[in-house]
Amino acid sequence: GTLRILDPNEVKKRGLNAILYHISDYTLEEGRSRPEGLNTHYGSLKWLYSLGFPTPAMEMKVFGHIDEVIKYCHDFEALRDTLPFEVDGLVVKVNDFALQDKMGMTSHHPRWAVAYKFKARQATSKLRKVEYQVGRTGAITPVAKIDPVHIGGVTVSSISLFNEDVVREKDVRIGDTVLVERAGDVIPYIVKPLTELRTGEEEVIEFPKHCPACNSQLEKQQDEAAWRCVNISCPVQVVERMIHFASKDAMDIRSMGNANVQKFYELGLLTDIPSIYNIDWKKVKSLEGFGEKSVSNLKQAIEASKKQPLNRLIFGLGIRYVGETTGKTLASAVGDIRELYDWNVERLLALEDVGPKVATAVADFFAKPENREMIQKLADAGVNLINVHKGQTAAAGELAGKTFLFTGTLSQFKRSDAESMVEAKGGSILGSVSSKLNYLVVGADAGSKLEKAKKLGSVNILTEQEFQELIKD
């Protein structure tokens, strides 16, 4: 996140340090032979260290037997708190680069390296109460509020309990002393209550039967663990749906973030998704912090969102199980979003990567009168409901019939912009590497997708520069 900040002065304040652990590539000057140290992983990092680069030269070791490796891992774990930075484990690697190349990689990871994870950081605390959060899809999530406790550089006071089944399985009670752990040294969760410390005053957690936001009766499907509020007018869900609709990966309405959506809703300026396009700007201008410039920028962003491609609108509607990739799949199958009103589950299942859960959720969404009414209001406001690329031929698009996928970090352009370039020329975007993929465009730090594409052998692998040249043709 810090590296993406455009202001170098802000980056400077963060005080980032880098520790190098790999040489990705090097070029020898003409007439120079390769240094001996560059034949091994250990040697290469020692060589970097001798040149002044920060590497784990003092911590890394080379061993000739696995028993020595295991002992070092255990010994190092005992010393982790003496380091000036947080670590959650060690990586055991084959040292010789030639052997690394020979062992190769799977589609997910190198065969010549394995992570040894330390035991997760743990602490104990008191569970004081449980609060219930309502999600965008109506799922009710219990959140444990504990006495703040410091674990591995972070103070933890709130922990998700996931659902009622987890609460019952662990028999967690209000007033319990609980063992808290950060999974992977990141996400906090309650391992278990320390039942031997119970006094008898602890209270069994009673899961609510009504929505904490709108008091509607909660429902639970047989194949799900979560209780849900199915009231489409539930205020929390309404706000969350608007936030999602305006988000960067959906309709990308700049300045319409969480705080502004919440504020506008509380003031009655927003009531639902279509109301975003009918804001009373006179009232907005009277609000503190909304000058002429900020209001103008927000109006322009809302107006620009009307021209977003259909896949962004489908994703922005917040249909359960429908992510960005499925949104593109649905958009590419129709010429107008309203065609989906007549699609049943069987027809949806025929689409690539659409399974029974997704198909059922999509069919249910477009069958509901209130959702059709919302879509009509968006149409009346001028929001694009059309797939402009539907039925595009080779004459209309040079990349018609060609499929693309992007992986890694792109430096020349945003991924969404690159995908739009492809679609503007008649090409389509896939969600995964398969025999149907024609081109994989690779940025920095490409991972499993690149390895899988290499194994298939039928995928054209392009650098960003090569992709730009292809788009220009």
Side-chain angles (χ1 to χ4, degrees), residues 9 21 36 43 54 57 82 93 111 116 121 125 137 207 218 234 268 288 291 296 316 327 408 432 449:
N9 292 318
Y21 60 91
E36 181 65 28
T82 65
K93 300 179 180 178
R111 291 193 179 94
Y116 172 82
R121 303 279 196 180
S125 183
T137 62
F207 212 84
L218 299 181
C234 175
E288 185 179 350
S296 175
S432 59
K449 289 186 177 71

Side-chain angles (χ1 to χ4, degrees), residues 169-199:
E169 181 183 334
K170 292 189 175 183
D171 188 26
V172 184
R173 302 179 185 182
I174 294 171
D176 268 337
T177 299
V178 292
L179 183 64
V180 181
E181 184 175 286
R182 290 177 65 205
D185 278 345
V186 180
I187 308 298
Y189 76 101
I190 291 176
V191 179
K192 64 177 181 178
L194 301 181
T195 54
E196 65 274 16
L197 299 181
R198 282 179 175 168
T199 63

Side-chain angles (χ1 to χ4, degrees), residues 134 210-217 229 231 233-237:
V134 185
H210 295 85
C211 175
C214 68
N215 205 37
S216 297
Q217 185 83 26
C229 170
N231 175 19
S233 300
C234 175
V236 173
Q237 293 182 63

Side-chain angles (χ1 to χ4, degrees), residues 375-393:
I375 291 169
Q376 186 56 50
K377 287 181 180 179
L378 292 174
D380 294 341
V383 176
N384 172 53
L385 306 186
I386 308 298
N387 175 16
V388 296
H389 303 303
K390 178 67 175 176
Q392 195 169 38
T393 63

Side-chain angles (χ1 to χ4, degrees), residues 284-296:
V284 174
K285 289 178 182 178
S286 68
L287 300 177
E288 185 179 350
F290 285 89
E292 195 68 38
K293 182 65 174 176
S294 59
V295 170
S296 175

